[in-house]
């Protein structure tokens, strides 16, 4: 499959790379890492990475802006995106050929060519594996910047290698990546340093979370609360792991109110939660998922479902 993807890459002069909405470090790491990797090895090709920019990820890279006509006769690659409705920029259908590279469950098997590996810790890890194939078959080289981006994506999706998804192979790849010339401290600082107002909100979360006897934990962050702490809904992505530090927590949900919906971030230390996420307009990994609800009453129903999930697990 990897060689088929490389063969397709070699056939096109223009390559456009998409990723999912509400990007995280793995979305940028896989998308931008692939872009920089292809630029290093195919100076004759034009490679774009597009999508709405998240300012918290500026330290990694910045997406391109392109017009519709660029898609004509272009190869389109979508990284780290399980479902078509989560692809950032709907123009992904306007290209000549579509490739999906992802590590989420393949519930939406879109694309003309699909490479899905649910055993990979991250999509960035898969991009490194693509490089290994390219190195062996086509003499590909890794740039320092591509290595930095891929490393950041792996770090982000493994929670600094703390999550069970970090395999022996993940550590081997990380060991290879840190041989390249980039500042790891700069990467870690960009990913994990927080503004004081965000830390104040984190303090509020620690003071106000609710957890039952089975370790089902929840916190609600309303629009008024976000305004009070001068924090955007997007900024709260940096706090999603905060409740994992609570002794006895089994699974947790963070609700973040936006203008027309309530964003749901689900995490687990054991119970499989992606089926629960699907029930509420979402999906994701077995232990890390996202969803959307449209009222606080619906949020309460999700909390009750999470309580049952934790009770049955225990």
């Amino acid at each position: 499959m990897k060689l088929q993807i490389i063969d397709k890459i070699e056939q096109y002069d223009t390559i456009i790379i998409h990723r999912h909405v509400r990007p995280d470090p793995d979305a940028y790491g896989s998308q931008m890492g692939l872009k920089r990797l292809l630029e290093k090895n195919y100076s004759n090709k034009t490679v774009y990475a597009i999508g709405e920019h998240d300012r918290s990820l500026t330290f990694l890279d910045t997406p391109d802006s392109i017009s519709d006509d660029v898609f004509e006769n272009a190869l389109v690659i979508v990284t780290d995106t399980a479902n078509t409705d989560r692809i950032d920029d709907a123009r992904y259908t306007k290209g000549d050929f579509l490739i999906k590279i992802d590590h989420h469950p393949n519930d939406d098997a879109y694309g003309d060519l699909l490479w899905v590996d649910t055993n990979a810790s991250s999509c960035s890890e898969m991009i490194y594996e693509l490089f290994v194939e390219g190195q062996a078959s086509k003499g590909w080289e890794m740039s320092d910047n591509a290595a930095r981006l891929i490393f950041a994506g792996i770090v982000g999706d493994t929670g600094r290698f703390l999550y069970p998804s970090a395999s022996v192979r993940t550590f081997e790849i990380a060991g290879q990546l840190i041989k390249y010339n980039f500042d790891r401290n700069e990467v870690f600082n960009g990913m994990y340093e927080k503004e004081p107002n965000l830390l104040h909100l984190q303090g509020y979360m620690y003071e106000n979370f609710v957890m039952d006897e089975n370790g089902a934990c929840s916190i609600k962050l309303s629009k008024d609360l976000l305004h009070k702490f001068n924090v955007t809904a997007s900024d709260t992505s940096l706090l999603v792991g905060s409740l994992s530090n609570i002794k006895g927590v089994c699974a947790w949900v963070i609700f973040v109110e936006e203008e027309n919906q309530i964003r749901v971030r689900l995490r687990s230390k054991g119970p499989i939660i992606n089926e629960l996420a699907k029930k509420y307009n979402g999906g994701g990994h077995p232990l890390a998922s996202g969803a959307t609800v449209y009222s606080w009453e619906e949020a309460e129903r999700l909390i009750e479902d999470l309580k049952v999930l934790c009770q049955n697990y225990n």
Side-chain angles (χ1 to χ4, degrees):
M1 183 60 67
K2 288 172 286 196
L3 192 54
Q4 291 180 55
I5 292 173
I6 293 170
D7 287 342
K8 277 295 175 184
I9 287 169
E10 296 203 327
Q11 292 172 23
Y12 288 84
D13 295 326
T14 300
I15 300 166
I16 304 168
I17 309 170
H18 295 243
R19 40 77 182 161
H20 61 75
V21 296
R22 301 172 182 170
D24 56 12
D26 188 33
Y28 267 45
S30 57
Q31 179 197 37
M32 302 294 187
L34 179 58
K35 174 187 175 179
R36 301 307 180 189
L37 187 61
L38 296 182
E39 288 177 338
K40 172 71 174 177
N41 293 284
Y42 298 100
S43 58
N44 60 320
K45 299 182 185 297
T46 306
V47 186
Y48 301 99
I50 67 171
E52 185 176 349
H53 182 49
D54 188 314
R55 61 184 177 84
S56 70
L57 298 174
T58 302
F59 74 97
L60 289 178
D61 214 327
T62 305
D64 303 300
S65 297
I66 61 175
S67 57
D68 291 357
D69 62 287
V70 179
F71 283 85
E72 186 175 352
N73 298 318
L75 172 65
V76 176
I77 302 174
V78 181
T79 68
D80 197 36
T81 311
N83 308 308
T84 53
D85 58 1
R86 296 202 72 229
I87 299 174
D88 195 331
D89 198 317
R91 294 179 295 173
Y92 73 92
T93 60
K94 294 183 178 295
D96 183 65
F97 194 89
L98 177 62
I99 297 175
K100 175 184 181 180
I101 302 176
D102 189 36
H103 69 126
H104 300 90
N106 195 25
D107 295 328
D108 185 353
Y110 64 86
D112 302 302
L113 185 60
L114 293 77
W115 177 29
V116 176
D117 182 3
T118 56
N119 293 317
S121 71
S122 56
C123 194
S124 295
E125 181 175 311
M126 296 176 68
I127 300 304
Y128 183 84
E129 297 289 13
L130 186 68
F131 159 71
V132 171
E133 180 63 48
Q135 184 182 46
S137 62
K138 306 291 182 179
W140 280 15
E141 297 179 355
M142 176 71 72
S143 70
D144 294 332
N145 194 17
R148 179 182 70 92
L149 289 158
I150 293 168
F151 178 78
I154 293 173
V155 169
D157 252 29
T158 61
R160 285 178 279 190
F161 306 101
L162 292 174
Y163 300 158
S165 61
S167 65
V168 172
R169 179 59 178 159
T170 307
F171 282 94
E172 290 173 347
I173 291 171
Q176 293 298 316
L177 289 169
I178 62 174
K179 294 178 182 178
Y180 291 89
N181 185 27
F182 65 90
D183 189 336
R184 271 182 285 161
N185 284 333
E186 185 179 42
V187 171
F188 285 121
N189 289 341
M191 293 176 71
Y192 296 108
E193 281 187 341
K194 300 180 179 69
E195 295 289 344
N197 58 320
L198 195 59
L199 288 172
H200 292 153
L201 177 60
Q202 187 177 43
Y204 172 90
M205 291 170 62
Y206 285 139
E207 288 184 348
N208 292 277
F209 71 84
V210 178
M211 187 170 74
D212 73 0
E213 66 277 9
N214 294 305
C217 185
S218 64
I219 184 75
K220 297 174 182 175
L221 306 179
S222 67
K223 286 189 296 184
D224 290 343
L225 190 68
L226 297 181
H227 180 73
K228 174 183 176 182
F229 286 96
N230 192 28
V231 169
T232 68
S234 179
D235 290 337
T236 62
S237 64
L238 297 173
L239 303 179
V240 69
S242 300
L243 301 184
S244 66
N245 299 321
I246 302 168
K247 186 174 182 179
V249 70
C250 181
W252 65 99
V253 57
I254 300 173
F255 297 98
V256 183
E257 187 179 20
E258 299 180 335
E259 285 304 318
N260 300 311
Q261 62 185 22
I262 300 170
R263 189 183 302 192
V264 179
R265 294 190 169 100
L266 279 161
R267 296 293 186 271
S268 171
K269 288 189 173 181
I272 304 303
I273 53 172
N274 54 354
E275 290 300 321
L276 176 60
K278 289 178 187 177
K279 183 178 177 181
Y280 292 92
N281 313 296
H285 298 290
L287 302 181
S289 295
T292 304
V293 296
Y294 295 94
S295 68
W296 289 116
E297 291 75 21
E298 192 178 9
E300 284 296 330
R301 292 195 294 272
L302 191 153
I303 292 171
E304 292 304 313
D305 287 342
L306 184 66
K307 289 179 178 179
V308 172
L309 205 60
C310 292
Q311 183 180 23
N312 292 339
Y313 181 78
N314 291 322

